[in-house]
Amino acid sequence: MNGIEFRNVTKRYGTDKNGPMAVKGISFEVPVGTLTTILGPSGCGKTTTLRMIAGLESPTSGSIFMGGRDVTTLGPGERNVSMMFQSYALFPHMNVIENVGYGLRMSGVKKDEATVRAREALRGVGLVGFDERLPSELSGGQQQRVALARALVLEPAVLLFDEPLSNLDARLRREMREEIRSLQQRLKLTVAYVTHDQSEALAVSDQIIVMDHGVIAQRGTPEQLYGRPESEFVAGFMGEAMVFPAVAQADGSVTLGPLRLQPRYAVAPGTVKVAVRPEAWDIGALDGLPATLRKSAYLGSFYEYGFDTPLGPVFVVSTDLSRPLAAGTQTTLSLGTHGVSVVPGA
Ligand SMILES: Nc1ncnc2c1ncn2[C@@H]1O[C@H](COP(=O)(O)OP(=O)(O)O)[C@@H](O)[C@H]1O
Ligand SMILES: [Mg+2]
């Protein structure tokens, strides 16, 4: 059963029939009780897609189904959807319990019952004892929890997040994303979650949809997108892969400069590209790509190395902290299979 289903949905803003399309014929499903992230660079159509799920924008063409029902022409009030925005926009003059109970009150729930349910939702997000505070008397993380409780208290069939963590510092961002994920799993919520941060997407998702210029570049599990990117764009976006031109041979192997690789998936002979993650390089193998260390940086749990090679500059991440290399060191680089993907070449 699908919580959300898009069938060939397009969106063009404005009335100009030849104007640019923000979303170009996308189809996907978000199964009930699962979390899907919509991931991509700024301007690729993530917010537009989310707003069409919410009913805040209507598609130019195509259909949207929720719980098996065609909701394409329904407004936001008729869809049982809650949305949490980038700026979580609490009412500044209302205290915590009033903020959370507001939506219930608006839909006719009596004050006492609204208070009870608001308190329960606040307990669900781990915020107890702050009922009387104003938003200005809370930390960023606490405000975030209030906003989350305010969305949850309405018991929506679908919960939407638009870059909910972008205003938080790195530590809080990690903490909140884990909480959102565990809440989603505990309450079996159906969630669509927009982010431009690939590590956030990898951490919280059942499914990731990568968008590029209004189309879906690829969708799948975090493992599929990280381990088996199907294009240079996805490989580059999911974790800093460097992309090198290479040649697929008739025997199925791929030559990358002096290196010979066995791709995990068959490719047609001819020009291809090889996307290599920085942690995929092995340093100092017997034969490999000659490399001279140009610069290094110590990042606590790993080293970042910049090598000069016949293939051009190569960026390497090494967790071998016991043998740091000095600038000028001459060595070799080789590749295993993990973190190496062959994608169609241009
Ligand atoms: N209200 C609007 N009117 C006209 N163009 C818009 C509007 N909202 C977004 N766009 C355009 O649609 C494209 C996708 O925007 P958006 O969905 O906000 O992307 P994202 O959330 O991925 O950054 C962009 O080119 C943007 O400029
Ligand atoms: Mg956006």
Side-chain angles (χ1 to χ4, degrees):
M1 171 84 158
N2 285 322
I4 306 165
E5 188 181 347
F6 268 45
R7 292 190 196 160
N8 203 17
V9 169
T10 65
K11 174 66 184 179
R12 172 180 279 128
Y13 286 105
T15 49
D16 179 358
K17 280 211 302 260
N18 300 313
M21 285 201 283
V23 167
K24 303 169 187 165
I26 63 172
S27 301
F28 63 87
E29 304 88 40
V30 179
V32 163
T34 64
L35 190 155
T36 290
T37 50
I38 302 168
L39 173 68
S42 179
C44 71
K46 305 183 296 295
T47 295
T48 302
T49 301
L50 206 65
R51 288 175 63 83
M52 287 195 284
I53 300 174
L56 296 167
E57 299 287 351
S58 44
T60 305
S61 65
S63 325
I64 300 174
F65 292 79
M66 292 179 68
R69 186 170 66 123
D70 188 338
V71 299
T72 313
T73 58
L74 299 185
E78 301 164 285
R79 293 195 184 189
N80 196 13
V81 166
S82 274
M83 182 147 168
M84 219 173 113
F85 295 92
Q86 216 153 16
S87 57
Y88 17 89
L90 301 174
F91 302 114
H93 57 287
M94 289 186 194
N95 68 25
V96 165
I97 204 87
E98 288 163 347
N99 259 289
V100 176
Y102 179 79
L104 293 172
R105 298 281 288 136
M106 289 312 283
S107 54
V109 175
K110 295 233 163 44
K111 186 162 188 213
D112 287 352
E113 192 195 332
T115 301
V116 169
R117 285 171 62 181
R119 201 163 278 146
E120 207 169 298
L122 283 160
R123 179 145 30 86
V125 299
L127 200 66
V128 174
F130 294 86
D131 294 1
E132 310 298 326
R133 299 260 190 113
L134 291 173
S136 59
E137 299 168 323
L138 299 173
S139 71
Q142 290 165 337
Q143 290 181 34
Q144 185 86 28
R145 281 171 221 263
V146 176
L148 194 53
R150 190 175 60 173
L152 281 173
V153 77
L154 301 170
E155 298 178 3
V158 167
L159 193 54
L160 307 177
F161 293 94
D162 193 355
E163 313 224 7
L165 308 183
S166 51
N167 294 330
L168 304 178
D169 64 45
R171 176 186 295 241
L172 202 51
R173 207 152 56 220
R174 187 177 302 254
E175 209 175 289
M176 285 306 297
R177 80 182 184 206
E178 281 165 14
E179 288 201 24
I180 289 174
R181 176 57 163 167
S182 71
L183 200 65
Q184 179 270 326
Q185 291 184 315
R186 184 155 49 85
L187 303 178
K188 301 202 168 36
L189 302 170
T190 306
V191 174
Y193 186 110
V194 161
T195 180
H196 65 269
D197 179 337
Q198 56 92 16
S199 58
E200 197 170 307
L202 288 171
V204 302
S205 308
D206 295 298
Q207 171 180 235
I208 298 175
I209 296 174
V210 178
M211 287 186 72
D212 179 22
H213 289 95
V215 301
I216 294 178
Q218 192 176 342
R219 67 185 178 107
T221 63
E223 293 80 3
Q224 284 167 339
L225 284 187
Y226 194 88
R228 195 182 170 181
E230 288 166 0
S231 63
E232 183 177 349
F233 175 79
V234 174
F237 201 75
M238 301 297 302
E240 287 198 85
M242 289 185 77
V243 178
F244 302 93
V247 179
Q249 308 293 342
D251 68 1
S253 70
V254 169
T255 47
L256 171 60
L259 303 174
R260 189 167 270 256
L261 313 173
Q262 284 303 327
R264 280 171 297 166
Y265 307 100
V267 281
T271 309
V272 292
K273 287 185 171 166
V274 177
V276 183
R277 302 209 180 283
E279 70 274 17
W281 293 101
D282 292 320
I283 300 170
L286 260 180
D287 56 353
L289 183 66
T292 306
L293 184 63
R294 191 165 30 84
K295 59 181 182 186
S296 73
Y298 172 62
L299 276 293
S301 53
F302 58 90
Y303 279 91
E304 284 182 357
Y305 294 127
F307 289 97
D308 284 327
T309 78
L311 299 178
V314 171
F315 173 62
V316 177
V317 163
S318 169
T319 52
D320 184 354
L321 301 178
S322 62
R323 290 176 303 147
L325 302 178
T329 300
Q330 300 201 348
T331 182
T332 60
L333 298 175
S334 58
L335 289 169
T337 51
H338 192 78
V340 181
S341 305
V342 178
V343 298

